[in-house]
Amino acid sequence: MPVKRGLLILLLMFYLGLSQLQGQEYRVEFTEKPLNRALIELRQQYSLRFSFDDRNLSAYFISVSGTFSSVDKLLNALLAGLPLQWELMGNVYVIFQGAKGIQPSRFLIAGQVLEKGTGEPLAFSHIQIGDHSLVTDVKGSFSFVSDEDSVFSMKASHLGCFVVDTLLAPGSNHKIFLTPFSYDLPEVIVRDNIVARSVQVGERPGLISLNTYIADYLPGNGDNSVFNLLRLQPGVVAAGEQAGDLIIWGSYEGTSRVKFDGMTIWGLKNFNDNISAINPFMTKSVEVLKGGFDASFDDVAGGLVNIAGKTGKRQRAGFHFFINNETLNGMVETPLSEKSSLTLAYRQTYYDLFDAEDVDNSDLEYRIAVKPDYRFRDFNAKYASHQDDGSLFYISLLGGDDDFSYTAEQERQRNTIYQSTSEENHQIGGSVYWGKNRKNGDHFQIKGAWSGLFSTYGVERNISNNRFNRQFSGIDKNTETNVGEGNLKFDYGFQLLDNQRISFGLEGISNTLSIQEDSSNLTVLDSEYSAMRIAGFVKDKIPLLPRIVFQPGLRYNYSFYTSSGYPDPRLELIYESQGAFSASAAWGAYHQFIVKSSLYDETGNFRYVWTLADGEDIPVLEAQHWVMGASWKRNDFTANVDAFYKTVNGLTRYVRFNQSEESVYKGEGYSLGVDVFLKRDFNANTIWISYSLAQAKERFSYFVQDDYRRAPHDQRHELKIAGLMRFFKRFHFSAAYVYGSGFPLYANYLSEEYTEPDYSRLDVALFYRLMRGNVKAQAGISLLNALNHYNVKYISFEQIPLDQLYTAYIDAEAVTFTPLLFLKFEF
């Protein structure tokens, strides 16, 4: 009996529950209520789950009254007469745009990825829609078209931000907000969420994506965060701490290009190795293309670094301040309207950073007295306007001064030797941008930019006879070099079905160069050059198989300066996997029209000078890139391998035997190698290791042996280790170690013998972060070259030949053991 009684009770409960379930009613009373608000009330009242575009549905006002026996009938009544549809996915009711009863032939999803809290567009963010991968443009925009899915499963990630995994209905104005990992949430604990950390590799051939969040925690973060982050990446040479350029995959100086908001940066670093030519307060995202890049990018034979600047706060004003024992830096962001803002930034050194100890004269019988003088300052201004449809307009301006000089005096038994050297670099530039996404998924952008570098270099050396009070002139030379580049570019992209995307563009480029050289008050060189060219490109992204994408492209330049055309075909093949493994390959031809020619002067110094290729005396550089890569990503572990082979023809080298005699030689070169990158993220910590095995060789007609020999920037091995840890919640510790096997230091331009000192540098830092209300503060210390290892710079020292036996070196850029105390706050 008890068993039967229990069964009867269970059956009764089941019957009552079923009756209650079948009798579930939904009572609504809406009068001219926005549809989005109506759905929110229903969700709260009946525990229903909806997914919809809040901005889109807020435009529809409904009047519905009655009782409905099912959710299906309720939704049909709410959406009656509206160009909307609904679909049940699992236990979520997804509402999306579309005429009821009419199945569209294609579904479009488009929108923007923005930073939560500031509304900053997150350029170069990664979007995963089903099996397809996308990368947002400089305004954070993306678009995708499909004829299969009416509801899209999308995953959005940006370096240093929490990943968003969501469902989206078709539409052209989605806003995806990503929360930075460093965003202070004192009362909210986010658990079991994924953070896209410091570096992304393997998405395309030779591509590295970086963020500026992670740079805030690296040693020396205040003034040189861009280079500090770049130098730790595989394939970007850190050893030698070159002063004005980046060596990317064996590229010669001047063959790689750094751009900030579309403006060419003619020198990434300045005389002081700890100060970058780009204010870190102004940077947002960094894209490094080491080689094999597609037809839409610039005409360079080496690599590219594209830096997207901040667009400023539009919700409220903000102020950023930084000070260490070298520079002051400040930035102000102020809204001008709900959709526009103005950003101003300024920094400068506030005392002389060099002293007599920067001269290596330990092996000399007679000491040298040196008086150096140095000043650096720069300024940025940017106006930006955002529209509701995702379009972006901005005007960006920059200017900077980097002046270094010294006087050296050595008193000997009979003579006193004097030398004074000065170099001044002034860079100015401006850019304008307008980009817009159309409702059908197409997009276009117009970009214009101009930047110039104005440099003067002077050296004067004379000898005074102490006994007879006579003075003898040695060298009296002044050189002024002005280089500029302007461009105006229009490109348009449209989306076809199956994620096929076609882009084309047209660009006009103007280069100017003037060189004036005086020797002993006599003009020995006075030349001005200007060159115009137009370039057009077309590229297509074709899905061959569900996970294989083929991207052919063609770039064509016509130079009015050389009266010749230069076609550059480029190909990419990418395996896009939803799993852990991905692979890519690329081949491309590249031409470069404004180049740096190497120069051996009469004092034995090796320098580079800008020249315009005329196709005769100065050839147009020709390069080819072969790139292959593979990547493995699982949970918080990333492994990536890139292999490359590059050739370059049309190198030019001046050899100056004395003040009146010089010869010009032409040459060629190649580089090859492999990069290995390993990264592990755990909790709030990250560590990565990169190793580069590379070779760069060259051949010039003046070589004694008609064969290739090591190029000045050739380095066989480079190992980098970086780690960041957080402990006690607000303390952050970071360390970076770089080892390089060294560059060949040739005795002179004819010698085949060289020395090869290695490079070793350990940097460490300890920071403390604090937040009080709207004020965020950070204080700490960085120890650069903490072990005080003596390192030889790559082409960064000035030689003073005193006689046949002795030479002094003015090592103006040496980073010895350097402690940097800093304080930074923002509100």
Side-chain angles (χ1 to χ4, degrees):
M1 288 297 293
V3 175
K4 292 183 178 180
R5 186 179 297 123
L7 291 173
L8 288 174
I9 293 174
L10 288 175
L11 288 173
L12 181 61
M13 292 177 62
F14 177 77
Y15 174 77
L16 292 174
L18 181 63
S19 300
Q20 184 177 4
L21 181 63
Q22 290 177 339
Q24 173 71 53
E25 294 182 343
Y26 301 91
R27 175 68 183 173
V28 297
E29 191 73 38
F30 298 136
T31 303
E32 288 299 313
K33 180 177 285 294
L35 180 56
N36 63 327
R37 299 304 306 171
L39 292 173
I40 292 173
E41 289 184 13
L42 291 172
R43 181 178 63 192
Q44 296 172 345
Q45 183 176 356
Y46 297 106
S47 299
L48 299 174
R49 301 186 66 181
F50 298 109
S51 176
F52 54 88
D53 185 336
D54 187 77
R55 182 187 296 271
N56 185 29
L57 267 60
S58 65
Y60 300 106
F61 293 83
I62 60 172
S63 296
V64 177
S65 177
T67 301
F68 301 89
S69 60
S70 67
V71 180
D72 296 10
K73 294 179 180 180
L74 171 62
L75 287 177
N76 290 335
L78 293 177
L79 305 183
L82 300 179
L84 299 172
Q85 294 182 4
W86 66 269
E87 183 175 337
L88 180 62
M89 297 190 68
N91 61 347
V92 179
Y93 293 90
V94 181
I95 301 171
F96 53 92
Q97 193 80 26
K100 283 184 64 69
I102 302 176
Q103 184 72 13
S105 59
R106 50 182 266 166
F107 298 94
L108 167 70
I109 180 172
Q112 265 187 307
V113 179
L114 306 169
E115 181 183 89
K116 183 178 180 180
T118 65
E120 284 274 356
L122 295 179
F124 318 134
S125 298
H126 289 262
I127 305 294
Q128 185 79 30
I129 301 178
D131 294 336
H132 304 283
S133 297
L134 310 172
V135 178
T136 63
D137 60 17
V138 71
K139 58 184 184 298
S141 299
F142 65 92
S143 63
F144 179 81
V145 172
S146 173
D147 61 350
E148 298 178 354
D149 298 323
S150 59
V151 177
F152 298 89
S153 173
M154 191 198 77
K155 182 181 293 185
S157 64
H158 185 83
L159 295 168
C161 295
F162 287 99
V163 175
V164 168
D165 194 345
T166 185
L167 293 174
L168 291 179
S172 60
N173 197 26
H174 292 286
K175 305 292 184 183
I176 310 299
F177 290 92
L178 302 186
T179 302
F181 179 64
S182 59
Y183 193 79
D184 291 285
L185 299 173
E187 298 180 1
V188 179
I189 300 176
V190 182
R191 299 186 185 275
D192 299 326
N193 204 347
I194 300 173
V195 180
R197 297 294 178 91
S198 55
V199 181
Q200 283 182 337
V201 293
E203 306 295 335
R204 290 176 55 188
L207 173 66
I208 303 176
S209 298
L210 307 171
N211 69 32
T212 57
Y213 304 122
I214 201 73
D216 287 342
Y217 302 96
L218 290 173
N221 68 329
D223 289 314
N224 201 18
S225 61
V226 174
F227 182 72
N228 285 341
L229 190 57
L230 283 174
R231 71 191 295 268
L232 295 176
Q233 306 313 312
V236 181
V237 174
E241 302 169 17
Q242 53 278 12
D245 208 75
L246 291 176
I247 299 175
I248 302 176
W249 273 357
S251 59
Y252 281 80
E253 184 164 334
T255 62
S256 293
R257 189 66 52 87
V258 178
K259 289 203 166 186
F260 173 73
D261 278 348
M263 292 173 280
T264 297
I265 303 299
W266 299 99
L268 184 64
K269 294 195 301 173
N270 295 275
F271 269 102
N272 185 296
D273 186 67
N274 302 323
I275 305 174
S276 70
I278 300 173
N279 193 326
F281 277 160
M282 296 295 298
T283 62
K284 189 65 181 179
S285 301
V286 182
E287 184 182 50
V288 183
L289 299 107
K290 298 186 288 185
F293 39 87
D294 66 51
S296 63
F297 290 103
D298 294 42
D299 301 298
V300 293
L304 284 168
V305 177
N306 290 322
I307 302 173
K310 293 181 179 179
T311 56
K313 294 182 178 180
R314 303 187 303 280
Q315 293 79 16
R316 59 180 178 83
F319 177 71
H320 304 254
F321 176 79
F322 173 90
I323 183 172
N324 66 9
N325 43 305
E326 289 187 347
T327 58
L328 292 167
N329 189 6
M331 183 178 74
V332 177
E333 303 171 271
T334 179
L336 299 181
S337 67
E338 293 182 356
K339 301 177 181 179
S340 63
S341 63
L342 177 66
T343 304
L344 304 173
Y346 178 80
R347 62 179 174 156
Q348 74 166 51
T349 54
Y350 57 90
Y351 72 97
D352 198 346
L353 302 183
F354 299 113
D355 54 41
E357 294 179 357
D358 292 318
V359 179
D360 178 14
N361 58 10
S362 57
D363 295 331
L364 296 178
E365 180 180 357
Y366 302 98
R367 305 288 293 180
I368 298 178
V370 174
K371 295 180 180 180
D373 184 36
Y374 179 72
R375 183 188 68 177
F376 169 84
R377 59 184 178 181
D378 68 352
F379 174 77
N380 289 85
K382 188 170 184 177
Y383 167 81
S385 174
H386 304 254
Q387 300 302 317
D388 293 336
D389 60 0
S391 62
L392 172 65
F393 173 82
Y394 69 71
I395 298 175
S396 183
L397 305 173
L398 66 82
D401 295 332
D402 185 64
D403 305 332
F404 175 76
S405 64
Y406 70 86
T407 59
E409 178 181 336
Q410 185 188 52
E411 188 171 346
R412 311 181 71 180
Q413 283 185 332
R414 298 182 179 180
N415 301 315
T416 300
I417 302 174
Y418 301 92
Q419 174 160 321
S420 62
T421 301
S422 65
E423 182 167 346
E424 297 181 1
N425 295 289
H426 309 284
Q427 174 161 301
I428 59 174
S431 65
V432 59
Y433 173 91
W434 180 43
K436 183 176 178 63
N437 297 326
R438 302 185 63 190
K439 293 184 178 179
N440 63 355
D442 295 357
H443 64 85
F444 68 85
Q445 55 186 4
I446 302 173
K447 298 184 286 186
W450 180 88
S451 65
L453 178 68
F454 306 92
S455 299
T456 58
Y457 174 80
V459 56
E460 181 180 354
R461 184 185 307 136
N462 56 66
I463 301 175
S464 176
N465 185 280
N466 300 329
R467 182 177 180 182
F468 300 102
N469 197 24
R470 296 182 60 184
Q471 195 169 40
F472 304 92
S473 295
I475 295 178
D476 183 5
K477 182 175 63 178
N478 290 278
T479 304
E480 181 177 339
T481 304
N482 302 325
V483 58
E485 180 173 84
N487 65 82
L488 181 62
K489 182 179 181 180
F490 168 82
D491 63 66
Y492 190 95
F494 54 93
Q495 184 120 3
L496 304 178
L497 290 177
D498 299 323
N499 200 29
Q500 182 177 0
R501 296 195 291 273
I502 299 177
S503 301
F504 63 90
L506 186 65
E507 184 174 8
I509 305 101
S510 173
N511 291 115
T512 58
L513 176 66
S514 65
I515 303 174
Q516 184 176 0
E517 185 172 307
D518 296 333
S519 180
S520 300
N521 296 322
L522 296 177
T523 301
V524 296
L525 179 63
D526 189 358
S527 302
E528 293 187 6
Y529 309 92
S530 62
M532 292 281 297
R533 73 180 192 277
I534 56 174
F537 74 87
V538 60
K539 65 175 184 177
D540 194 1
K541 184 176 181 180
I542 306 171
L544 297 180
L545 295 172
R547 296 180 181 179
I548 297 179
V549 175
F550 176 56
Q551 184 166 297
L554 174 66
R555 186 176 181 90
Y556 185 84
N557 276 276
Y558 182 82
S559 171
F560 296 98
Y561 195 57
T562 64
S563 301
S564 300
Y566 305 87
D568 289 330
R570 302 173 190 178
L571 308 173
E572 288 186 22
L573 190 65
I574 302 173
Y575 173 72
E576 297 179 336
S577 172
Q578 283 186 298
F581 178 76
S582 62
S584 62
W587 170 84
Y590 305 85
H591 286 86
Q592 184 168 331
F593 300 88
I594 181 168
V595 301
K596 269 190 172 182
S597 295
S598 51
L599 168 66
Y600 269 112
D601 65 21
E602 66 276 15
T603 65
N605 287 305
F606 186 80
R607 295 188 293 129
Y608 283 91
V609 292
W610 285 105
T611 56
L612 277 177
D614 57 12
E616 296 179 359
D617 297 329
I618 308 296
V620 176
L621 282 185
E622 300 179 20
Q624 291 192 34
H625 297 179
W626 287 262
V627 181
M628 294 182 65
S631 183
W632 176 272
K633 301 174 184 177
R634 177 61 61 88
N635 298 327
D636 289 330
F637 176 74
T638 299
N640 187 80
V641 178
D642 283 325
F644 68 93
Y645 175 65
K646 291 183 177 182
T647 63
V648 59
N649 293 312
L651 300 173
T652 306
R653 180 165 295 167
Y654 293 82
V655 178
R656 181 172 294 171
F657 305 100
N658 53 55
Q659 295 186 38
S660 60
E661 182 183 358
E662 67 179 22
S663 295
V664 181
Y665 301 93
K666 298 177 182 178
E668 58 187 8
Y670 72 86
S671 60
L672 57 89
V674 60
D675 293 338
V676 178
F677 179 79
L678 304 173
K679 182 170 71 77
R680 180 75 165 90
D681 299 318
F682 50 97
N683 298 326
N685 312 311
T686 184
I687 184 171
W688 71 83
I689 301 173
S690 69
Y691 169 71
S692 298
L693 174 65
Q695 182 183 75
K697 288 193 171 184
E698 65 181 15
R699 181 172 62 186
F700 282 86
S701 55
Y702 70 82
F703 286 178
V704 177
Q705 302 291 333
D706 186 21
D707 197 3
Y708 285 91
R709 76 178 191 185
R710 296 183 64 182
H713 56 277
D714 175 50
Q715 180 176 238
R716 196 69 65 245
H717 308 278
E718 186 164 280
L719 174 68
K720 307 169 188 177
I721 304 174
L724 300 95
M725 294 182 294
R726 185 177 69 176
F727 56 95
F728 299 133
K729 190 177 180 179
R730 299 196 177 277
F731 284 93
H732 298 262
F733 173 79
S734 62
Y737 175 73
V738 177
Y739 169 81
S741 58
F743 304 102
L745 301 179
Y746 292 97
N748 55 62
Y749 69 95
L750 287 177
S751 176
E752 295 186 1
E753 297 182 358
Y754 56 82
T755 59
E756 190 180 8
D758 63 0
Y759 177 94
S760 176
R761 173 171 156 182
L762 173 67
D763 300 339
V764 296
L766 180 65
F767 307 144
Y768 177 76
R769 288 172 56 86
L770 180 65
M771 181 177 179
R772 288 291 183 267
N774 292 327
V775 179
K776 300 177 184 179
Q778 182 174 320
I781 182 172
S782 292
L783 303 180
L784 306 184
N785 197 1
L787 302 180
N788 200 26
H789 189 277
Y790 175 75
N791 294 312
V792 176
K793 299 294 186 178
Y794 169 72
I795 314 175
S796 67
F797 50 78
E798 179 76 17
Q799 301 184 33
I800 307 176
L802 302 178
D803 53 33
Q804 295 180 350
L805 298 178
Y806 300 112
T807 298
Y809 295 91
I810 307 295
D811 197 358
E813 297 166 287
V815 174
T816 56
F817 173 72
T818 305
L820 295 174
L821 293 168
F822 78 91
L823 172 65
K824 179 167 64 174
F825 66 86
E826 61 180 275
F827 57 83

